[in-house]
Amino acid sequence: MDQLFLLELEDIVGVDGVVRDQAELITYESDGLVSHRSRPGVAVLPETAEQVQGVVRLCHRSGVPFVARGQGTGLSAGALPHPKGVLIVMTRMNRVLDIDLANRRITVEPGVMNLDVTRRVSGDGYYYAPDPSSQSICSIGGNFAENSGGAHCLKYGFTVHHVLGAEAVLPDGEIVHLGGDALDSPGLDLLGVLVGSEGTLAVVTKVTLGLLRCPESVRTLLAAFDSTDSAGNAVSDIISAGIIPAAIEMMDRTTIRAAEAAVHPGFPDAEAVLIVELDGSETEVAALFEQIETVCSQNKGWGVQVARDEEQRGRIWMGRKAAFAAMGRITPSYYVQDGVIPRSTLPEVLRRIRELEQDSGLTIGNVFHAGDGNLHPLVCYDDGVEGQAELAERVASEILSYCLDVGGSLTGEHGIGADKACHMPKMFSENDLATMQLVRTAFDPGQLCNPDKLFPTPRLCGEVPGPYRPHPVEAAGLAERL
Amino acid sequence: MADVTLSLGTLVTEIDSLVGSKVARVGTDGDSIDAILPTVVAEPTRASSVGQILGWASGRGVSVSVRGGGTKSGWGGPSGPIDVLLSTRAMNRVEVHRYSDLTATVQAGATLSKTNAVLAEHRQWLPLDPHNDEQATIGGIVATNDSGPRRHRHGAPRDLIIGMTLARVDGVIAKSGGIVVKNVAGYDLARLLTGSFGCLGVILSATFKLAPVAEASRTVLVELPKVDVCARYTADLIAHASTPTALEVSVPQGTMLVRFESVETVVISEATRAAALAEKAGATATVLVGDDELEAWRTHQAQVFVEGHTIVKLTVMPSELVSTLTWLEEEVRVRRLDYGLIGRVGLGVCYLRLQGAIAEQVSLILALRDRLPVGRGSAVIRQSNLELKKLIDTWGPIGDGFRIMRAVKQQFDPTGMLNPSHGPGGL
């Protein structure tokens, strides 16, 4: 990168806030989706909004692309750096700025971890609802960019339902405040668009979040089923009965086995398990819990475990939340998808996935937010076997097309990023995408803010990226990727 | 705005021939908005016709305003000239009710009450209860992000919308979101258009997540000895993790309504506990059910929603609600204004009715705005007579985000032909 430009960056964030060393920059080559890699031109670690503003202004003036990154746990290559650009690493902006329990709000910098928000207020009986599985290692800035969900969004919604206000640096370097501490600030709901815009419209420097009062009662049930069909039908029946649990999660045999091997949650040996959690007042939870037990037994559920205490509840959730990481126990590599389907089509789509599993010869594990219809099929493959990575990617794409066939979505919470940008035309028409581009153009006419993400471009989609090959430094054991 | 050489007949004929059927007519007095008579009223039956009319209007340099049930035509800033008033009322179906998925897609011109009557066949509803649901349409409710007391539990339209089909001013029809409840693919244009007062595009249909209709309901009517008991009582409810679907205050009546909806045993036990907490806080409480309950809610809404009076939407920090109410009581007294206010206690969202000398109303609204720094509250005029509208800005300060809002409007509607000066901040 241009030396003068680098010196100016050092003026803004200090010498220790600029990472120029090529070996050090390897750290930032990818986010959680390691099959996409690109080393940034330079990385900066600002500590204040003014420093972010300074960096963005400089990029704007110099026509240099920039990408904001938090903890890098995203799964869509949304924080993939631009090789000729600046990576703005937000991890040093990790202060909790204000806790206002009287109004059930907390204001944080984007580098604060999701789980830390809850930790800061749980002693007073409050919590922050969105709970992505990575909540102990992912930061609020990334949650904001991706509109993260989690197991409990069935009842409580996503990040967008809990963000009240934000301070953001626009791509021209201006700082704006959208939303606010009070609800319904007059004006267009740009906050509603900014959340989930995958860092393509602005760099967020401060976020005010709403907190919820911890429920009086929480009850968690785990039930086993002899087929994913029966488990899927139980999910439909729960929803049809007019019950909105806090969470309904499903795991199949493959993912149960992986979770057992990794964290021993004590799941039964079954084709599928459902985890259903109810929360609310004592009387409400008690009344609805009975109905859920009935629905499960009507659908031939067995081995019902009801968490006796917080410890057992924690173990059940640990089994579920560890499922992704646990897959390493049973497969060298896996490709995860994030498609969404209407809940009622669950049995149909699961059947198609099983057929695909047989046809392709690749094991496909399924762990998903069943209540929302958000699937996380895990396509297992072995890097060492020639062609299997490519096959896995094709199989994963095929699953996405099943989701779209039944009116679903490419992504429920991981985002489009660089990974699925080329799939966007399967879900949206040219006119739909052009209309979204109007928003992009209003915010970022120069297209410098996280370019080549979310929207398909010829540069991005004209060529199909090959599978990941280890860097020689990595192969020699001199550096690690994660 | 329209070319002066255009005659009324020409406009009507042009629209009809464009669409291929009789959809346009000359505007009459009943169509007036803010005393502005629309030149032509068009009521197409198909989404594609809306696109055609908008595309044509863009080419012609003709301004278009949108109307559903007409219940909110007077909201927003004063209208500019209206060449074409586009009515959505002929597009009024519940397109699909996916009851197994708890979602529905509804055309913009369907009224909320009709929509909910259809959804009730499967014991579901679109959980919004804004004023005037008999006449208010889905398009208008979404365009203004309007909601009612049960926002406390279910949220506002922006929290329930999962997809939208819209027509752009150049006639292009586009969609955003989809039919699934969880979806982060692409920009959320549905949320952008929600609350945009129709200034970015014409909402053709919207898809929502729904809620089951609760089996039972109870409302606790709380009579407060003093308004500050409201704060203490609310804190008690929160501390006990009470889960009402609505939590309202009404002044100067000095009453609160706390509603519970669930299965019978639950609502009885929750209402009993909420009533006991009210008594403990020094208030009197009555648990209402059936017709008494409905009547209490009707009375509550009637404190504010009065034809011909000024209505201000007031938002404050929930912790500042009671001090605002106390301040207000004194300020209306010295200005000799008649007033009523109902508010969502847990959210800090209130509706204030004013009647009396216009100059005094203006002075009160300005004083309110002085109390509310940007981001910590707002006082937006919803309904008022034209005289007041001309004396005071409808929206109040918007803050430093306005610049980018203007840029978005510029992209969606470069010539400002759609709902001119009617969008937030006069966009």
Side-chain angles (χ1 to χ4, degrees):
Chain A
M1 301 211 50
D2 177 64
Q3 284 305 312
L4 196 60
F5 181 83
L6 293 172
L7 287 175
E8 283 194 68
L9 281 180
E10 285 180 356
D11 275 349
I12 297 164
V13 292
V15 176
D16 77 334
V18 177
V19 181
R20 313 161 60 156
D21 182 85
Q22 289 300 309
E24 279 184 63
L25 286 172
I26 291 177
T27 315
Y28 302 112
E29 260 188 348
S30 73
D31 59 12
L33 189 66
V34 294
S35 54
H36 290 255
R37 287 165 192 275
S38 162
R39 203 172 303 178
V42 60
V44 294
L45 293 99
E47 293 180 24
T48 64
E50 290 68 32
Q51 289 183 351
V52 174
Q53 179 179 39
V55 171
V56 172
R57 268 196 184 139
L58 176 62
C59 290
H60 176 65
R61 208 173 57 230
S62 315
V64 172
F66 55 94
V67 177
R69 170 194 160 111
Q71 288 293 320
T73 56
L75 291 169
S76 59
L80 186 72
H82 192 285
K84 293 186 176 140
V86 177
L87 187 72
I88 307 176
V89 182
M90 303 297 285
T91 47
R92 288 186 182 173
M93 290 184 63
N94 59 359
R95 283 159 289 220
V96 173
L97 301 172
D98 181 50
I99 298 175
D100 175 6
L101 291 182
N103 291 298
R104 298 180 297 285
R105 283 144 172 76
I106 186 168
T107 301
V108 300
E109 289 183 331
V112 170
M113 300 291 183
N114 172 298
L115 194 56
D116 283 344
V117 176
T118 290
R119 282 195 185 123
R120 288 295 290 267
V121 296
S122 58
D124 293 296
Y126 293 90
Y127 74 109
Y128 175 61
D131 62 338
S133 295
S134 55
Q135 68 185 135
S136 59
I137 49 165
C138 65
S139 51
I140 291 298
N143 290 182
F144 184 104
E146 303 297 323
N147 189 15
S148 299
H152 291 81
C153 52
L154 174 59
K155 182 169 176 182
Y156 293 105
F158 318 107
T159 302
V160 71
H161 297 108
H162 302 274
V163 170
L164 299 166
E167 175 188 87
V169 178
L170 297 179
D172 63 0
E174 287 299 303
I175 291 185
V176 294
H177 299 81
L178 300 171
D181 290 336
L183 292 180
D184 298 352
S185 294
L188 295 176
D189 188 0
L190 295 187
L191 188 65
V193 185
L194 209 55
V195 176
S197 62
E198 305 196 17
T200 60
L201 299 179
V203 181
V204 170
T205 49
K206 195 196 287 184
V207 188
T208 300
L209 304 167
L211 300 169
L212 297 184
R213 181 76 191 172
C214 294
E216 186 180 34
S217 172
V218 179
R219 220 183 280 187
T220 310
L221 165 150
L222 183 131
F225 293 85
D226 287 333
S227 71
T228 48
D229 270 11
S230 317
N233 289 333
V235 174
S236 290
D237 289 353
I238 291 169
I239 302 286
S240 304
I243 305 171
I244 309 284
I248 312 181
E249 301 284 299
M250 197 197 290
M251 295 169 71
D252 72 356
R253 177 172 284 287
T254 306
T255 52
I256 295 167
R257 200 155 55 85
E260 273 301 318
V263 295
H264 321 298
F267 288 166
D269 183 20
E271 285 303 316
V273 295
L274 278 188
I275 300 167
V276 186
E277 187 159 284
L278 283 174
D279 67 10
S281 68
E282 292 277 6
T283 41
E284 181 156 42
V285 170
L288 299 182
F289 205 78
E290 249 178 59
Q291 291 189 36
I292 302 246
E293 285 185 299
T294 309
V295 167
C296 285
S297 65
Q298 279 167 352
N299 285 284
K300 302 195 178 75
W302 53 273
V304 173
Q305 300 175 22
V306 180
R308 287 180 309 277
D309 49 28
E310 199 48 37
E311 191 267 324
Q312 195 181 359
R313 176 176 173 247
R315 207 167 58 235
I316 291 174
W317 278 111
M318 183 178 63
R320 163 60 188 87
K321 292 194 176 182
F324 277 16
M327 288 302 285
R329 299 284 180 137
I330 59 167
T331 178
S333 297
Y334 64 87
Y335 201 103
V336 62
Q337 281 294 14
D338 178 41
V340 190
I341 55 173
R343 296 176 265 234
S344 57
T345 63
L346 202 56
E348 175 195 338
V349 174
L350 287 179
R351 257 195 306 276
R352 288 185 74 179
I353 292 176
R354 270 199 307 279
E355 284 164 20
L356 185 65
E357 186 174 26
Q358 280 159 13
D359 293 349
S360 67
L362 297 181
T363 301
I364 305 174
N366 284 290
V367 50
F368 45 88
H369 308 302
D372 299 315
N374 186 188
L375 308 180
H376 288 316
L378 300 147
V379 182
C380 302
Y381 66 95
D382 185 348
D383 276 322
V385 178
E386 183 69 30
Q388 240 187 33
E390 290 82 355
L391 177 62
E393 197 179 339
R394 280 202 303 278
V395 165
S397 293
E398 181 74 10
I399 294 173
L400 277 188
S401 65
Y402 298 168
C403 295
L404 297 180
D405 286 349
V406 293
S409 168
L410 293 168
T411 173
E413 54 189 6
H414 296 173
I416 296 294
D419 184 47
K420 289 186 278 288
C422 300
H423 290 284
M424 283 291 270
K426 295 180 192 166
M427 182 166 168
F428 293 107
S429 72
E430 250 176 64
N431 285 336
D432 302 340
L433 293 171
T435 309
M436 293 177 196
Q437 281 283 9
L438 295 175
V439 178
R440 176 81 199 258
T441 308
F443 275 82
D444 183 19
Q447 307 259 326
L448 292 177
C449 189
N450 206 8
D452 299 332
K453 309 288 165 60
L454 208 153
F455 293 104
T457 61
R459 198 188 74 71
L460 207 60
C461 306
E463 54 191 79
V464 180
Y468 159 64
R469 298 277 172 255
H471 188 276
V473 175
E474 192 185 3
L478 298 173
E480 280 184 318
R481 295 286 177 174
L482 279 174
Chain B
M1 192 167 179
D3 187 332
V4 285
T5 59
L6 292 176
S7 73
L8 296 181
T10 315
L11 284 177
V12 170
T13 316
E14 280 190 43
I15 294 173
D16 285 345
S17 62
L18 186 74
V19 170
S21 63
K22 182 77 198 143
V23 298
R25 62 174 172 80
V26 172
T28 61
D29 284 346
D31 301 311
S32 293
I33 297 173
D34 289 341
I36 311 256
L37 181 69
T39 312
V40 175
V41 177
E43 195 165 284
T45 55
R46 290 191 305 268
S48 57
S49 308
V50 174
Q52 286 172 316
I53 292 169
L54 286 171
W56 162 86
S58 287
R60 274 293 205 174
V62 164
S63 74
V64 176
S65 290
V66 190
R67 182 181 67 186
T71 58
K72 302 170 177 64
S73 294
W75 293 18
S79 273
I82 304 166
D83 297 328
V84 176
L85 182 65
L86 182 69
S87 164
T88 60
R89 289 297 281 125
M91 298 184 297
N92 53 19
R93 283 184 307 111
V94 173
E95 278 182 359
V96 197
H97 180 194
R98 299 170 207 88
Y99 50 87
S100 302
D101 298 315
L102 262 176
T103 65
T105 302
V106 188
Q107 292 183 332
T111 62
L112 178 60
S113 67
K114 183 191 157 188
T115 301
N116 275 331
V118 172
L119 304 180
E121 288 169 22
H122 292 278
R123 297 192 51 76
Q124 294 176 2
W125 70 306
L126 172 56
L128 293 169
D129 57 348
H131 177 60
N132 220 344
D133 69 344
E134 294 286 331
Q135 279 87 42
T137 59
I138 296 298
I141 290 168
V142 170
T144 55
N145 195 28
D146 197 20
S147 61
R150 280 182 281 192
R151 177 177 180 181
H152 180 85
R153 159 66 65 84
H154 296 288
R158 64 100 68 188
D159 302 309
L160 298 165
I161 197 158
I162 57 175
M164 182 185 283
T165 306
L166 61 106
R168 294 190 334 214
V169 294
D170 59 3
V172 165
I173 291 174
K175 70 172 192 306
S176 161
I179 60 166
V180 286
V181 293
K182 192 174 185 188
N183 180 6
V184 295
Y187 290 156
D188 199 337
L189 302 179
R191 247 179 212 109
L192 177 64
L193 265 80
T194 303
S196 68
F197 280 68
C199 81
L200 300 179
V202 177
I203 298 166
L204 297 170
S205 66
T207 303
F208 302 93
K209 55 181 176 183
L210 307 174
V213 173
E215 176 189 304
S217 173
R218 292 290 187 284
T219 296
V220 184
L221 167 63
V222 179
E223 289 169 78
L224 304 164
K226 285 194 311 188
V227 74
D228 55 4
V229 172
C230 169
R232 204 160 62 237
Y233 176 50
T234 303
D236 284 349
L237 285 174
I238 292 170
H240 283 79
S242 180
T243 53
T245 53
L247 177 60
E248 296 275 304
V249 68
S250 173
V251 289
Q253 277 61 37
T255 53
M256 288 180 72
L257 292 178
V258 190
R259 187 171 198 162
F260 296 95
E261 291 163 284
S262 182
V263 293
E264 185 82 8
T265 50
V266 173
V267 297
I268 291 172
S269 106
E270 286 259 9
T272 307
R273 181 170 68 172
L277 286 171
E279 303 271 352
K280 210 176 110 206
T284 54
T286 320
V287 177
L288 305 173
V289 64
D291 287 345
D292 291 344
E293 186 182 13
L294 288 178
E295 187 51 37
W297 282 104
R298 260 196 297 272
T299 307
H300 181 72
Q301 299 274 73
Q303 301 305 319
V304 164
F305 298 110
V306 179
E307 199 66 33
H309 293 202
T310 301
I311 297 174
V312 177
K313 180 178 175 187
L314 177 65
T315 65
V316 297
M317 299 298 290
S319 65
E320 291 163 12
L321 177 62
V322 168
S323 60
T324 306
L325 298 185
T326 310
W327 175 89
L328 197 59
E329 194 178 1
E330 175 61 16
E331 296 295 318
V332 292
R333 194 187 58 77
V334 299
R335 289 179 173 83
R336 298 170 189 279
L337 293 169
D338 173 39
Y339 88 115
L341 177 144
I342 60 173
R344 298 338 41 126
V345 179
L347 307 175
V349 174
C350 309
Y351 297 86
L352 167 66
R353 176 185 58 79
L354 294 171
Q355 195 197 23
I358 295 293
E360 295 295 343
Q361 292 189 33
V362 169
S363 135
L364 179 74
I365 295 166
L366 290 175
L368 260 173
R369 286 180 182 165
D370 280 346
R371 282 176 60 88
L372 302 166
V374 171
R376 300 277 296 181
S378 58
V380 174
I381 298 163
R382 277 251 145 139
Q383 164 185 310
S384 76
N385 65 21
L386 207 49
E387 188 189 347
L388 188 136
K389 266 193 186 184
K390 286 179 176 164
L391 285 171
I392 183 171
D393 172 42
T394 304
W395 300 92
I398 289 188
D400 54 17
F402 189 61
R403 189 178 65 94
I404 191 72
M405 292 172 196
R406 214 164 25 211
V408 171
K409 167 74 175 176
Q410 173 70 25
Q411 284 295 318
F412 277 79
D413 180 15
T415 62
M417 52 85 75
L418 188 61
N419 280 352
S421 38
H422 214 63
L427 290 175

